[in-house]
């Protein structure tokens, strides 16, 4: 069975390609390399012993996407391709709306044209916004007030409306919580360009001495230690969630949280990272980052019941694997 993975050289996409290839699927990657490197294809081949096909193409380019669909007997699509930096989306809203909405519509149109019935979409816990934790799939969406979050909510709507018109299609809207960690080989992982926005890559760069200290954004939240709480999920668990969705979902639209169901504070993550990896993370508490919520974690019951999937790796493994990747790549 051949799966098209858009954004397949990116962070989550590359780990999902490893899971797909190791489970016997054939893989075609489409990526414009705006936030990843071609060498990731070699790394995937090194890990799995199988080489995915790679197209350097833009998912918003309808004719380039058509060429791929006409050349290969694709049976399912996992659509990771997208821009994901919240702050940048405020600076460049049209770039984000254009890239994230148009790529989703183009790939979906080709699925409909070529009779590809399985479509898995990378959504985000950001669509829950200020709801009460834990976040449940049935909650009304309140995407955080930034263009990135809006694109995820809008893509969910576009996919749902199209699926209603094409009842033969199976669409999974996977709402990721906070992906961290790396493949245990240390060959692939998250490699942000420039100064990281997210907590774990920032911690690993501080650990390596690339950055002098971590700024903890707020210690006055209504949480036990005052710092923000998030549901960190190991990227390999996230990857296996995609396979479960591909294999188990029937026709219709299916929304699943992919998280662990457990929350960890910023200070807890720092302490665990220091203990597991025997390194120091100098940090300083500063003011809150605008747009952050106090707490965000998943209700994971639906994914467990309907997909038979659950995250198995804990915070220690996430810290260990993130650090191994940083040491090997940085
Ligand atoms: P990433 O930036 O590492 O991967 C995205 C990949 O898509 C990159 O390789 C990039 O080059 C490619 N890409 C972007 N626009 C493209 C286009 N128009 N055509 C072809 N390729 C394009 O990001 P990631 O962390 O792997 O995220 C994957 C998906 O998951 C994204 O849609 C993101 O919004 C979503 N997501 C990520 C997180 C997270 O915290 N990492 C959380 C929730 C949802
Ligand atoms: C985690 C915690 C920060 C950096 C973002 C997106 C979300 C999703 C995942 C794509 C928070 C604190 C962080 C730092 C800190 N992405 N922090 N110092 O904000 O939960 O989610 O990535 O869909 O949409 O918004 O993740 O890793 O940035 O922050 O104290 O230098 O770490 O305040 O409590 P976030 P994050």
């Amino acid at each position: 069975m051949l799966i098209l993975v858009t954004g397949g050289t990116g962070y989550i996409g590359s780990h999902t390609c490893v899971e797909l290839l190791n489970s016997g699927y054939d893989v075609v990657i489409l990526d414009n390399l705006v936030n990843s490197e071609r060498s990731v294809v070699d790394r995937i081949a090194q890990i799995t012993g199988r080489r995915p096909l790679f197209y350097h193409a833009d998912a918003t380019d309808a004719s380039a996407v058509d060429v791929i669909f006409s050349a290969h007997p694709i049976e399912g699509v996992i659509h990771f391709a997208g821009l994901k930096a919240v702050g940048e989306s405020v600076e460049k809203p049209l770039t984000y709306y254009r890239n994230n909405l148009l790529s989703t519509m183009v790939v979906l149109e080709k699925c409909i044209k070529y009779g590809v019935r399985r479509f898995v979409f990378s959504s985000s816990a950001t669509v829950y916004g200020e709801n009460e934790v834990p976040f449940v799939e049935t909650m009304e969406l309140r995407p955080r007030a930034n263009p990135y979050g809006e694109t995820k909510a809008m893509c969910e709507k576009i996919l749902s409306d199209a699926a209603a018109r094409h009842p033969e299609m199976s669409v999974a809207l996977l709402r990721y919580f906070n992906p961290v960690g790396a493949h245990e080989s240390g060959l692939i992982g998250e490699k942000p360009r420039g100064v990281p926005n997210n907590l774990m890559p920032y911690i690993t760069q501080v650990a390596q001495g690339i950055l002098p200290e971590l700024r903890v954004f707020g210690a006055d939240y209504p949480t036990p230690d005052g710092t923000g709480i998030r549901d960190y999920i190991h990227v390999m668990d996230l990857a296996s969630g995609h396979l479960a969705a591909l294999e188990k979902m029937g026709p219709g639209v299916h929304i699943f949280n992919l998280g662990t169901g457990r929350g960890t504070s910023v200070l807890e993550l720092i302490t665990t990272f220091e203990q597991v990896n025997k390194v120091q993370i100098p940090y300083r508490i500063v003011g809150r980052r605008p747009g952050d919520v106090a707490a965000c974690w998943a209700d994971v019951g639906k994914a467990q019941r309907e997909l038979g999937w659950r995250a198995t790796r804990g915070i220690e493994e996430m810290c260990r694997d993130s650090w191994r990747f940083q040491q090997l790549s940085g």
Side-chain angles (χ1 to χ4, degrees):
M1 187 164 175
L2 179 65
I3 306 297
L4 172 65
V5 182
T6 75
T9 45
Y11 173 45
I12 306 168
S14 58
H15 291 81
T16 304
C17 287
V18 165
E19 282 290 279
L20 287 166
L21 291 162
N22 279 341
S23 303
Y25 290 91
D26 294 319
V27 171
V28 176
I29 293 174
L30 175 166
D31 203 299
N32 66 2
L33 303 179
V34 70
N35 197 36
S36 58
E37 292 169 12
R38 189 184 282 263
S39 61
V40 170
V41 179
D42 302 327
R43 302 295 183 94
I44 293 169
Q46 199 180 334
I47 292 169
T48 63
R50 301 183 61 209
R51 176 166 286 273
L53 284 175
F54 177 72
Y55 283 86
H56 184 190
D58 198 302
T60 65
D61 179 344
S63 40
V65 177
D66 199 277
V67 166
I68 300 172
F69 274 81
S70 62
H72 303 284
I74 295 165
E75 292 192 60
V77 172
I78 309 183
H79 181 50
F80 293 104
L83 298 172
K84 64 164 180 175
V86 173
E88 187 185 57
S89 80
V90 177
E91 298 302 314
K92 301 177 183 171
L94 286 180
T95 303
Y96 271 67
Y97 284 116
R98 185 173 201 291
N99 192 71
N100 291 2
L101 299 186
L102 191 55
S103 63
T104 302
M105 290 190 281
V106 164
V107 176
L108 179 60
E109 278 168 0
K110 297 305 169 193
C111 285
I112 293 166
K113 176 177 172 187
Y114 286 91
V116 177
R117 294 184 171 185
R118 293 177 174 272
F119 192 107
V120 177
F121 176 68
S122 299
S123 191
S124 169
T126 196
V127 298
Y128 290 112
E130 303 272 353
N131 270 298
E132 290 282 305
V133 282
F135 296 153
V136 188
E137 288 89 342
T138 48
M139 283 173 163
E140 199 181 323
L141 300 192
R142 299 174 181 178
R144 286 185 226 170
N146 62 70
Y148 169 73
E150 296 288 351
T151 68
K152 291 298 173 190
M154 288 178 184
C155 285
E156 287 199 3
K157 176 82 176 120
I158 291 167
L159 288 162
S160 302
D161 288 351
R165 172 67 185 79
H166 295 276
E168 73 283 3
M169 284 204 72
S170 302
V171 174
L173 308 176
L174 304 183
R175 294 179 179 161
Y176 313 154
F177 282 67
N178 287 60
V180 296
H183 188 263
E184 62 177 13
S185 64
L187 290 171
I188 53 172
E190 185 172 20
K191 206 173 182 184
R193 294 188 172 162
V195 178
N197 299 310
N198 295 118
L199 180 59
M200 185 63 97
Y202 208 105
I203 289 178
T204 60
Q205 292 200 13
V206 170
Q208 214 177 28
I210 299 168
L211 295 167
E213 65 174 4
L214 173 73
R215 289 172 305 153
V216 174
F217 296 140
D220 57 350
Y221 283 107
T223 61
D225 66 19
T227 65
I229 291 182
R230 296 290 182 273
D231 185 340
Y232 299 96
I233 173 167
H234 196 293
V235 66
M236 290 306 295
D237 280 329
L238 196 57
S240 72
H242 290 73
L243 270 77
L246 256 189
E247 286 165 4
K248 302 268 171 60
M249 67 176 170
V253 178
H254 309 275
I255 304 175
F256 293 107
N257 287 340
L258 295 184
T260 64
R262 287 184 298 278
T264 302
S265 76
V266 177
L267 293 183
E268 284 170 341
L269 192 68
I270 296 171
T271 307
T272 306
F273 192 96
E274 290 183 327
Q275 286 170 355
V276 168
N277 295 319
K278 313 226 171 347
V279 286
Q280 290 296 305
I281 307 297
Y283 71 86
R284 183 164 52 94
I285 289 164
V286 300
R288 295 182 181 190
R289 182 172 64 179
D292 274 356
V293 294
C296 166
W297 70 84
D299 180 309
V300 292
K302 188 178 177 200
Q304 284 179 18
R305 283 191 306 274
E306 295 187 18
L307 298 179
W309 169 90
R310 67 191 308 160
T312 59
R313 297 162 178 88
I315 288 288
E316 290 80 7
E317 253 172 299
M318 302 182 209
C319 290
R320 190 194 64 205
D321 292 343
S322 293
W323 180 226
R324 184 186 298 113
F325 174 71
Q326 177 67 40
Q327 288 175 294
L328 289 174
S329 68

